[in-house]
């Protein structure tokens, strides 16, 4: 290996409002399993969301299923008029978000917890859908969030109780965050057609460390009907196998607790059983999944969804790199696909200016200065495989979360 390559190897080894919009982006990341569809009419309206009567936004995703090439597809129901109504006569409009068609939202309303609420939907083709009035269920605080590393899994548990005995039926959702790195650390950037050094004091300037966010797509239910008191002790919400990319460096999860009515709990139990044993809503008898929202226009039309109302409580768990088992942590990075022909050495200002600085979209990302002792900078090292240098390409953000602990 010549002196240039030695120096290169050494250097590579070093190293509503915006809140509502963010909530919607996180909410909209749910993954849907869409298997082959039987030869039946699958044109169902699907309503997914929760009336938050407390200090958080109310968000609903409204879509319609249809068949495309014999497969189930979900399309957003655009241009609907959606209203939240109380049995006291109040009405609040949910607006469709331009960044996510088919998603309707309203900021926190802090509603009267003694009232009942329902959802009214009128689609573009003038079909009207109305849910039953439902009581607002108040979620007690989550007492504690615990974890262990048993059976080669990260297991996360919650503890909660209701001294009044009014909760009984619980549902949990969560948003996971984990960090990861690109293969090469880029110390240089192109800004206004000029080559500059990245600045550690500028948030998001480095593209080596990223954080991935993922909302849960599991149905997690708990009930205290068979217990002497309304208390869940060490109730497991999450288990992650040690081979998962989520537990290689640092991991955090925000757990949200909802309290359900008995009818809502039974609906979600049915949905859980269907998705785990059968496959999806398209493989079950539609009557099994009928919720509490109905078509006013056509009484025989099937609508899938259950509207609940109430407050949500939440608690975060943060595990740093040093708290994860040593044997779980990320192995040395395989640089095979990132080196070789992808690595480009550019000598002299004119060469790398024409290759990187002139085009609006370069074919390379600059990595670092290429220099030789007693000679100084002689060029730059760049890489044509952006995925190897820019961690954001894998879907994460390089803005460090405020709650993150190294």
């Amino acid at each position: 290996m010549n002196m240039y390559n030695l120096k290169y190897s050494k250097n590579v080894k070093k190293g509503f409002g915006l809140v509502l919009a963010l909530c919607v982006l996180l909410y909209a990341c749910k993954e849907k399993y869409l298997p082959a569809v039987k030869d039946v009419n699958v044109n169902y309206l699907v309503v997914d969301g929760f009336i938050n009567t407390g200090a958080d936004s109310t968000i609903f995703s409204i879509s319609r299923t249809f068949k495309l090439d014999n497969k189930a597809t979900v399309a957003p129901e655009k241009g609907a008029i959606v209203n939240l109504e109380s049995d006291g006569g109040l009405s609040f409009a949910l607006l469709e978000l331009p960044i996510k068609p088919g998603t309707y939202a309203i900021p926190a309303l802090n509603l009267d917890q003694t009232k009942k609420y329902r959802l009214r939907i009128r689609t573009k083709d003038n079909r009207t859908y109305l849910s039953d009035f439902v009581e607002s269920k108040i979620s007690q605080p989550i007492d504690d969030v615990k974890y262990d590393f048993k059976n080669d899994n990260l297991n996360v548990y919650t503890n909660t109780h209701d001294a009044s005995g009014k909760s009984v039926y619980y549902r949990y959702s969560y948003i996971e965050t984990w960090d990861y790195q690109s293969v090469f650390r880029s110390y240089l950037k192109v800004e206004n057609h000029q080559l500059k050094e990245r600045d550690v004091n500028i948030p998001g300037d480095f593209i080596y460390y990223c954080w991935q966010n993922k909302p849960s797509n599991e149905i997690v239910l708990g009930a205290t009907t068979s217990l002497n008191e309304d208390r869940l002790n060490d109730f497991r919400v999450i288990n992650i196998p040690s081979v998962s990319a989520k537990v290689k460096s640092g991991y955090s999860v925000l757990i949200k607790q909802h309290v359900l009515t008995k009818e809502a709990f039974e609906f979600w139990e049915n949905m859980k059983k269907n998705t785990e044993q059968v496959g999806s809503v398209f493989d079950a008898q539609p009557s099994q999944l009928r919720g509490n929202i109905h078509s006013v226009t056509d009484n025989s039309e099937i609508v899938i969804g259950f509207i609940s109302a109430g407050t949500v409580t939440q608690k975060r768990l943060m595990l740093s790199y040093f708290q994860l088992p040593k044997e779980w942590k990320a192995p040395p990075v395989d640089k095979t696909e990132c080196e070789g022909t992808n690595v480009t050495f550019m000598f002299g200002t004119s060469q790398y200016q024409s290759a990187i600085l002139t085009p609006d979209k370069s074919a390379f990302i600059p990595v670092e200065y290429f220099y030789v002792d007693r000679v100084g900078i002689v060029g730059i090292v760049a890489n044509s495989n952006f995925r190897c240098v820019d961690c954001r390409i894998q879907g994460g953000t390089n803005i460090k979360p405020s709650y993150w602990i190294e």
Side-chain angles (χ1 to χ4, degrees):
M1 181 180 289
N2 61 33
M3 186 180 294
Y4 297 149
N5 290 337
L6 280 171
K7 193 64 182 178
Y8 163 67
S9 297
K10 282 178 63 178
N11 289 339
V12 168
K13 289 177 182 176
K14 287 179 181 175
F16 18 50
L18 295 175
V19 172
L20 178 59
L22 177 60
C23 289
V24 172
L25 285 172
L26 293 174
Y27 177 86
C29 292
K30 289 185 177 179
E31 297 176 357
K32 292 182 172 64
Y33 172 58
L34 300 174
V37 182
K38 297 176 182 179
D39 191 18
V40 294
N41 176 20
V42 293
N43 186 25
Y44 308 145
L45 189 75
V46 180
V47 183
D48 185 15
F50 178 76
I51 298 173
N52 195 312
T53 57
D56 207 347
S57 305
T58 291
I59 305 171
F60 277 90
S61 173
I62 304 175
S63 55
R64 192 171 290 276
T65 65
F66 65 95
K67 236 179 1 177
L68 180 65
D69 297 330
N70 206 40
K71 290 186 178 180
T73 303
V74 177
E77 188 73 17
K78 303 176 184 177
I81 298 173
V82 182
N83 287 280
L84 187 164
E85 299 175 348
S86 78
D87 61 357
L90 296 178
S91 180
F92 306 90
L94 278 69
L95 301 181
E96 185 173 15
L97 296 176
I99 60 173
K100 190 64 180 177
T103 299
Y104 300 81
I106 188 170
L109 295 168
N110 290 300
L111 298 169
D112 185 344
Q113 303 295 337
T114 66
K115 300 296 183 182
K116 292 184 177 181
Y117 299 93
R118 70 180 179 185
L119 198 68
R120 181 185 294 271
I121 302 169
R122 193 175 77 194
T123 58
K124 277 200 308 186
D125 57 0
N126 287 320
R127 296 184 186 185
T128 300
Y129 302 86
L130 196 62
S131 74
D132 302 333
F133 276 113
V134 293
E135 65 176 305
S136 176
K137 300 290 288 185
I138 298 175
S139 177
Q140 299 299 318
I142 298 174
D143 295 329
D144 195 16
V145 176
K146 297 180 178 180
Y147 68 94
D148 63 37
F149 301 109
K150 293 180 180 178
N151 302 318
D152 213 27
N153 289 299
L154 167 62
N155 304 287
V156 181
Y157 310 87
T158 60
N159 291 283
T160 192
H161 78 284
D162 184 355
S164 70
K166 294 181 180 179
S167 296
V168 183
Y169 300 103
Y170 299 85
R171 182 186 176 201
Y172 291 94
S173 60
Y174 51 89
I175 301 173
E176 297 175 287
T177 307
W178 63 95
D179 68 348
Y180 63 95
Q181 299 86 41
S182 58
V183 175
F184 294 145
R185 189 192 300 257
S186 172
Y187 295 95
L188 303 173
K189 63 180 179 180
V190 176
E191 191 175 88
N192 297 324
H193 297 291
Q194 293 183 345
L195 192 64
K196 295 183 178 180
E197 293 187 13
R198 296 186 184 274
D199 189 344
V200 70
N201 296 312
I202 300 177
D205 208 32
F206 277 89
I207 54 177
Y208 177 67
Y209 286 106
C210 275
W211 290 264
Q212 185 77 260
N213 290 295
K214 183 183 178 183
S216 59
N217 58 3
E218 290 184 273
I219 299 172
V220 182
L221 302 170
T224 60
T225 49
S226 62
L227 304 177
N228 294 327
E229 59 179 331
D230 193 356
R231 179 185 297 273
L232 290 177
N233 284 329
D234 293 340
F235 178 76
R236 192 173 74 175
V237 178
I238 302 167
N239 70 303
I240 304 171
S242 61
V243 295
S244 172
K246 300 175 185 178
V247 290
K248 296 302 177 188
S249 182
Y251 174 81
S252 179
V253 61
L254 179 65
I255 297 179
K256 299 186 177 185
Q257 178 178 278
H258 306 248
V259 173
L260 305 177
T261 61
K262 182 175 184 292
E263 295 76 19
F265 184 84
E266 289 172 347
F267 171 84
W268 286 109
E269 256 194 332
N270 227 347
M271 181 71 80
K272 179 180 176 69
K273 191 180 301 181
N274 178 67
T275 55
E276 290 180 353
Q277 297 179 5
V278 182
S280 79
V281 297
F282 309 110
D283 293 316
Q285 292 297 319
S287 59
Q288 295 175 338
L289 300 176
R290 283 181 183 269
N292 64 348
I293 183 164
H294 321 281
S295 170
V296 175
T297 312
D298 180 1
N299 214 25
S300 64
E301 183 180 348
I302 293 171
V303 184
I304 297 174
F306 200 103
I307 308 304
S308 294
T311 62
V312 179
T313 50
Q314 59 189 35
K315 207 170 190 71
R316 179 175 294 282
L317 171 69
M318 175 73 226
L319 297 177
S320 73
Y321 174 85
F322 301 101
Q323 290 173 284
L324 294 171
K326 182 179 180 180
E327 62 273 18
W328 288 19
K329 295 172 183 176
V333 176
D334 181 7
K335 298 182 179 180
T336 306
E337 67 170 308
C338 297
E339 294 182 327
T341 57
N342 294 311
V343 176
T344 303
F345 297 86
M346 297 178 183
F347 298 96
T349 303
S350 60
Q351 185 181 14
Y352 61 72
Q353 277 186 337
S354 61
I356 291 182
L357 306 183
T358 304
D360 291 329
K361 289 188 177 180
S362 173
F364 304 94
I365 291 184
V367 175
E368 60 187 350
Y369 286 118
F370 181 63
Y371 63 96
V372 178
D373 293 338
R374 297 188 300 277
V375 175
I377 296 173
V378 296
I380 63 171
V381 179
N383 198 296
S384 62
N385 189 336
F386 285 19
R387 186 181 179 88
C388 297
V389 183
D390 190 345
C391 59
R392 297 170 299 179
I393 292 176
Q394 299 180 45
T397 174
N398 62 335
I399 303 297
K400 181 180 176 180
S402 59
Y403 53 81
W404 199 258
I405 299 174
E406 298 295 345

